[in-house]
């Protein structure tokens, strides 16, 4: 089954799932950063892991957005810095 855009339903379904996962990753990171200082122990490492998770969610979201609506300048920068996302094995390893 092919919608009006010419891409199979499966591709669109995975894009929607990936966008949802990006949003959930970012929300988890934000909630963890908001809770900074409430937990005893190694709080600084938890902060940096949360920040790293937020940045990875933003990169993944940007990549999926460029696949949906190509923006040449953003695509060029993503390809230059995160080229592994443009190959199936690299993207699978990233996810």
């Amino acid at each position: 089954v092919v919608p009006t855009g010419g891409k199979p339903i499966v591709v669109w379904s995975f894009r929607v799932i990936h966008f949802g996962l990006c949003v959930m990753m970012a929300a988890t990171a934000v909630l963890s950063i908001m809770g900074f200082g409430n937990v005893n122990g190694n709080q600084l490492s938890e902060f940096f892991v949360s920040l790293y998770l937020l940045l990875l969610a933003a990169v993944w979201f940007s990549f999926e957005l460029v696949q949906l609506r190509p923006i040449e300048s953003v695509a060029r920068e993503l390809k230059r810095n995160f080229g592994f996302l443009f190959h199936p094995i690299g993207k699978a390893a990233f996810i």
Side-chain angles (χ1 to χ4, degrees):
V1 178
V2 178
T4 58
K7 295 211 180 201
I9 292 290
V10 174
V11 172
W12 285 103
S13 300
F14 274 108
R15 291 212 195 283
V16 169
I17 290 169
H18 289 174
F19 278 121
L21 289 172
C22 291
V23 169
M24 286 188 272
M25 280 175 60
T28 301
V30 168
L31 289 173
S32 181
I33 290 171
M34 286 173 46
F36 183 69
N38 295 338
V39 182
N40 292 331
N42 201 353
Q43 298 172 352
L44 190 58
S45 65
E46 181 182 335
F47 175 77
F48 282 112
V49 168
S50 300
L51 188 62
Y52 186 71
L53 184 64
L54 185 62
L55 292 175
L56 288 179
V59 166
W60 190 14
F61 189 87
S62 300
F63 170 77
E64 290 296 335
L65 194 62
V66 164
Q67 297 300 309
L68 190 63
R69 296 281 182 206
I71 303 168
E72 186 58 36
S73 61
V74 176
R76 185 177 52 249
E77 289 301 316
L78 280 173
K79 225 176 225 185
R80 192 177 75 163
N81 294 306
F82 303 101
F84 60 88
L85 286 174
F86 291 86
H87 304 288
I89 304 271
K91 187 175 178 183
F94 179 76
I95 293 172

